[in-house]
Amino acid sequence: MNIAVGNWFAIYKRELQSYFKSPLAYIIAGVFWLMAGIFFLVSMGSILDQVAFLDSQQQQFGGPAQPVDVPYLLLQGFLGVLASLMLVIMPMLSMGLYAEERKRGTLELLATSPITNWAVALGKLLAAVTFFLGMLLPIMVYEAVIFASASPAMPISVFFISHLGLILLAAAVLSLGMFISSLTNSTILAAILTFGLALMLWVVEAATANASGPIGQVLGHLSLLRHFNTLTQGIVDTGSLAMLATYIFLGIFLTAQAVETFRFQRS
Amino acid sequence: MIEVEQLSKTYGSYQAVTDLSFEVESGEILGFLGPNGAGKTTTMRILTGYLPATTGTARVAGFDVHDNAMAVRKSIGYLPETPPLYPEMSVEGYLNFVAQLKGVAAGDRPKRIDSALKRCSLEDRRKSLITTLSKGYRQRVGIAQAIVHDPPVIVLDEPTVGLDPRQIIEVRELIKSLAGQHTIILSTHILPEVSMTCDRVTIINKGKLVTTNSPDSLMDELSGGISYVMEVAGQFDQAKEALQAVKGFQSVSETHKPGLPEGHLNLTIVTEGEADPGRELSAALIQQGLGLFEMKRTRASMEDVFLKLTMQDAGKESGQDASEPESSAEDAVTGVAGAEVAAPENAGAEVTDPLAEKADAASPTEGADATTNAEATPSDDSAPSPISEGAE
């Protein structure tokens, strides 16, 4: 058991290296940075316009000044956009995790090595999350520059908790994507199915927003976005943290089970 | 080192392996021989812990494959049918990954990798990306991967498939050099490979054990009758009538041979036990006024043994292109043997050892012509194809 857990690092290292050797990963990162940069400027511009409009209204009609928390609005708006972007991008990072191994026959090597399916899945997921962190880091740098120059400056805890929410959301989608990837040896199919599943867990929020029955409430809790939103508000809600962690764990668990089951069925 | 006891494996309703038992001694090379779909890969996958057995047990290096899977995995090096390679990695990086995966301590890894590279003659490709390697080199990386953690047991699933003749020889030499320190199971459907590399051979067919023995004693046991292959001009019935009168004659059948002139027959005559009626057979044909263009005496080869053992119950259902179903096994045998004859003018009885000839055929320096001649094999999929993969 000791070696089985120790070896996850070999999987982690190889998987991370394979991202850096894959042109697709660079394209994904490039597109992500470009889109994030554009949306950052656009959301900042629109919020500043909004503030200017409120200011001019106040000057025209008088009355008390409306306090507007610009950095907070910007953070929430921008992270919302990033979350939607991730809906498309995360399935592309997770699609190859197992599908590629199945296609190349290397899953047979992993399955006959002294390492448990859990450790393999864990190593792979951590590698994917690490690559996503690499994608997120430059964005966090320019966010930090803007938010630090705001007056009054944004509490640092809000900044970190909201980004933790984003990372957990990414990990949840990657984990579910990894499970789907373990079911097929077609990477494209894995990406499409993961996108579909993530989309479903996304829209469940809108569909159940006004639901009042017990079923509606249960479904509402499945929503990835709802739990993500509580964190972007800077609120450490253990319920939301637990729910996102459950998604991550569920993905790893299902992956380990799927690998075990599918190997038995192959003739 | 390896003990397999009454192993069975079913996939749904399909019985892949039935009640298989065999043992492999420490330091031995066991050839696992059988037609495609005989259950070779399934058995190997059970041994490596990739598949669970339905019933029965297997022990590798003293550990039960089911109860002690992690210990078994540590003591096995496994090369699946397709080498499990990551094309974007370098050879060295890949071996380092596998060594780490197999639990080789960080301090030992460079030494182990160097030794695996050396054994597989990969030192000059150390830094090459696997995607740039030829098939032969990839196969060697696959073998290096199986020995990098110095396991007591090595399982190789069809290690020479798809290689050219020179590479086949190199891989066989490599496997032979591994014996002694390692216990090796090697699956193949290429017959000369078994007699060339293995200490013992286990033949399985349709998931059932047919026999386990050394290649030599198998040949001795089964090389009873002598048969002749003849090219005759005339009618089959006429020839049969003439031959039937000869003492020691057992059966005659017509076999297909490519490039046979119009009106010529390729006959295979099986004779009884120790009788060697070459003189009488040729005389009988000539007295009948039939033209004798070629005559060749053959002894049982690995092919004969293999076909005899695996086709006992399958003979009638397999689609041989023979005219007489009751002798389809012999037909297939001589279909192989006949294709080797490269001297059509020679009408005298010519004694050749098919095995030795095939060994030559596998070597490009000594028998480049023979390689192409040996290509014609029986059309049945389940029949063995001696080195036909090897020829380019």
Side-chain angles (χ1 to χ4, degrees):
Chain A
M1 201 60 201
N2 197 12
I3 45 160
V5 178
N7 292 352
W8 71 265
F9 190 69
I11 302 282
Y12 171 77
K13 214 170 67 184
R14 195 208 65 73
E15 200 65 50
L16 196 58
Q17 277 172 356
S18 84
Y19 277 123
F20 284 104
K21 283 175 188 164
S22 142
L24 184 69
Y26 286 102
I27 293 170
I28 291 171
V31 169
F32 182 68
W33 287 330
L34 180 71
M35 302 289 277
I38 291 171
F39 280 120
F40 191 68
L41 283 179
V42 168
S43 25
M44 195 156 69
S46 79
I47 286 170
L48 290 179
D49 282 353
Q50 209 181 329
V51 171
F53 175 71
L54 285 175
D55 263 1
S56 67
Q57 270 199 330
Q58 192 227 337
Q59 275 173 9
Q60 259 184 341
F61 307 108
Q66 297 258 335
V68 179
D69 191 347
V70 175
Y72 178 70
L73 281 182
L74 176 59
L75 180 73
Q76 247 205 324
F78 180 58
L79 288 191
V81 171
L82 281 191
S84 312
L85 253 181
M86 276 161 45
L87 183 65
V88 185
I89 282 177
M90 290 303 110
M92 289 195 239
L93 286 184
S94 69
M95 65 183 181
L97 285 174
Y98 275 88
E100 278 289 311
E101 304 255 8
R102 289 172 68 104
K103 206 161 62 186
R104 292 168 177 171
T106 44
L107 204 56
E108 200 160 346
L109 169 69
L110 300 184
T112 55
S113 293
I115 180 167
T116 57
N117 294 334
W118 285 87
V120 174
L122 184 72
K124 280 178 174 291
L125 181 63
L126 284 177
V129 172
T130 307
F131 188 77
F132 172 70
L133 282 179
M135 283 166 62
L136 189 61
L137 222 54
I139 293 171
M140 282 177 78
V141 169
Y142 63 65
E143 278 182 279
V145 170
I146 293 289
F147 292 135
S149 60
S151 172
M154 169 182 279
I156 195 137
S157 63
V158 173
F159 182 73
F160 278 113
I161 290 166
S162 55
H163 282 87
L164 176 72
L166 192 69
I167 292 162
L168 285 177
L169 179 71
V173 178
L174 286 172
S175 187
L176 294 174
M178 177 169 76
F179 164 58
I180 290 171
S181 177
S182 74
L183 299 177
T184 170
N185 45 19
S186 154
T187 48
I188 298 297
L189 189 65
I192 292 170
L193 287 177
T194 308
F195 176 73
L197 179 67
L199 193 67
M200 218 172 70
L201 292 174
W202 228 263
V203 296
V204 103
E205 168 73 12
T208 59
N210 302 317
S212 51
I215 295 172
Q217 286 197 331
V218 169
L219 281 178
H221 277 293
L222 289 178
S223 162
L224 281 171
L225 210 54
R226 178 177 296 179
H227 302 296
F228 168 65
N229 282 340
T230 57
L231 289 166
T232 53
Q233 287 158 12
I235 304 164
V236 186
D237 174 23
T238 41
S240 294
L241 283 177
M243 200 62 203
L244 287 172
T246 305
Y247 272 117
I248 296 168
F249 176 78
L250 185 72
I252 296 177
F253 172 78
L254 289 177
T255 306
Q257 295 305 311
V259 170
E260 194 73 10
T261 311
F262 270 73
R263 139 161 91 93
F264 291 175
Q265 282 176 355
R266 231 183 111 186
S267 53
Chain B
M1 208 56 169
I2 301 170
E3 297 145 65
V4 176
E5 271 169 41
Q6 296 176 325
L7 206 65
S8 295
K9 173 73 189 171
T10 40
Y11 296 109
S13 61
Y14 175 67
Q15 185 92 20
V17 175
T18 314
D19 223 12
L20 192 65
S21 302
F22 63 90
E23 272 183 32
V24 191
E25 300 294 326
S26 189
E28 195 177 41
I29 305 185
L30 178 82
F32 213 50
L33 187 63
N36 292 332
K40 301 187 295 275
T41 300
T42 300
T43 310
M44 293 189 143
R45 283 183 166 167
I46 293 171
L47 284 178
T48 55
Y50 186 71
L51 287 176
T54 310
T55 58
T57 57
R59 271 188 304 281
V60 174
F63 302 109
D64 188 285
V65 289
H66 186 259
D67 300 336
N68 225 330
M70 286 298 156
V72 169
R73 289 178 185 192
K74 270 200 99 169
S75 35
I76 279 191
Y78 175 40
L79 172 65
E81 223 168 323
T82 41
L85 305 175
Y86 295 97
E88 79 276 4
M89 296 180 99
S90 71
V91 172
E92 195 176 23
Y94 171 69
L95 290 179
N96 188 53
F97 164 67
V98 176
Q100 196 177 0
L101 197 62
K102 304 279 180 183
V104 178
D108 295 340
R109 262 179 244 148
K111 210 175 66 202
R112 291 297 326 147
I113 292 165
D114 281 345
S115 131
L117 286 170
K118 199 172 170 194
R119 292 213 100 145
C120 302
S121 324
L122 281 165
E123 288 140 310
D124 52 334
R125 299 298 163 113
R126 179 186 280 267
K127 304 280 179 201
S128 306
L129 291 184
I130 290 171
T131 180
T132 64
L133 296 180
S134 69
K135 189 151 189 178
Y137 271 107
R138 283 180 195 215
Q139 195 73 24
R140 278 197 241 169
V141 177
I143 296 174
Q145 165 271 130
I147 62 173
V148 73
H149 54 302
D150 200 17
V153 175
I154 300 173
V155 177
L156 305 169
D157 198 352
E158 312 224 334
T160 57
V161 156
L163 303 183
D164 70 37
R166 188 175 46 82
Q167 293 167 331
I168 290 181
I169 292 179
E170 284 168 1
V171 168
R172 281 180 194 153
E173 293 294 321
L174 170 61
I175 293 168
K176 270 197 266 187
S177 77
L178 294 172
Q181 300 133 293
H182 305 274
T183 307
I184 300 172
I185 294 194
L186 151 87
S187 87
T188 184
H189 60 268
I190 303 165
L191 297 158
E193 193 152 291
V194 169
S195 38
M196 274 182 242
T197 47
C198 302
D199 303 318
R200 274 197 313 141
V201 51
T202 287
I203 299 182
I204 67 167
N205 186 35
K206 297 190 168 175
K208 293 197 184 85
L209 181 78
V210 179
T211 183
T212 299
N213 217 326
S214 75
D216 287 343
S217 35
L218 266 185
M219 303 257 294
D220 288 348
E221 199 178 298
L222 289 143
S223 59
I226 291 167
S227 61
Y228 292 86
V229 182
M230 297 183 186
E231 187 185 325
V232 174
Q235 298 295 316
F236 179 74
D237 291 337
Q238 205 183 352
K240 190 175 179 182
E241 203 178 304
L243 293 167
Q244 267 168 343
V246 176
K247 193 168 172 285
F249 169 88
Q250 204 170 29
S251 72
V252 61
S253 58
E254 190 184 348
T255 40
H256 178 73
K257 184 181 160 189
L260 206 63
E262 190 75 22
H264 285 212
L265 304 165
N266 192 48
L267 300 178
T268 300
I269 296 122
V270 180
T271 61
E272 280 167 359
E274 293 304 298
D276 195 2
R279 186 190 299 266
E280 291 80 5
L281 287 172
S282 54
L285 285 173
I286 289 158
Q287 271 169 19
Q288 272 289 330
L290 295 161
L292 179 57
F293 286 79
E294 183 183 327
M295 182 164 172
K296 186 183 168 199
R297 183 166 62 171
T298 59
R299 276 188 70 240
S301 64
M302 263 329 267
E303 267 101 45
D304 307 28
V305 172
F306 177 72
L307 287 168
K308 222 167 184 168
L309 290 169
T310 59
M311 294 183 99
Q312 270 158 358
D313 51 358
K316 294 224 158 75
E317 55 197 75
S318 63
Q320 295 289 335
D321 52 357
S323 48
E324 292 179 29
E326 69 266 20
S327 58
S328 64
E330 279 86 357
D331 285 354
V333 171
T334 47
V336 174
E340 287 169 350
V341 181
E345 305 90 346
N346 189 356
E350 161 200 342
V351 182
T352 40
D353 182 356
L355 254 185
E357 199 164 317
K358 256 165 249 130
D360 286 342
S363 144
T365 48
E366 286 157 32
D369 293 332
T371 308
T372 43
N373 279 323
E375 274 235 44
T377 52
S379 58
D380 186 3
D381 276 343
S382 72
S385 49
I387 64 154
S388 63
E389 275 103 333
E392 281 166 315

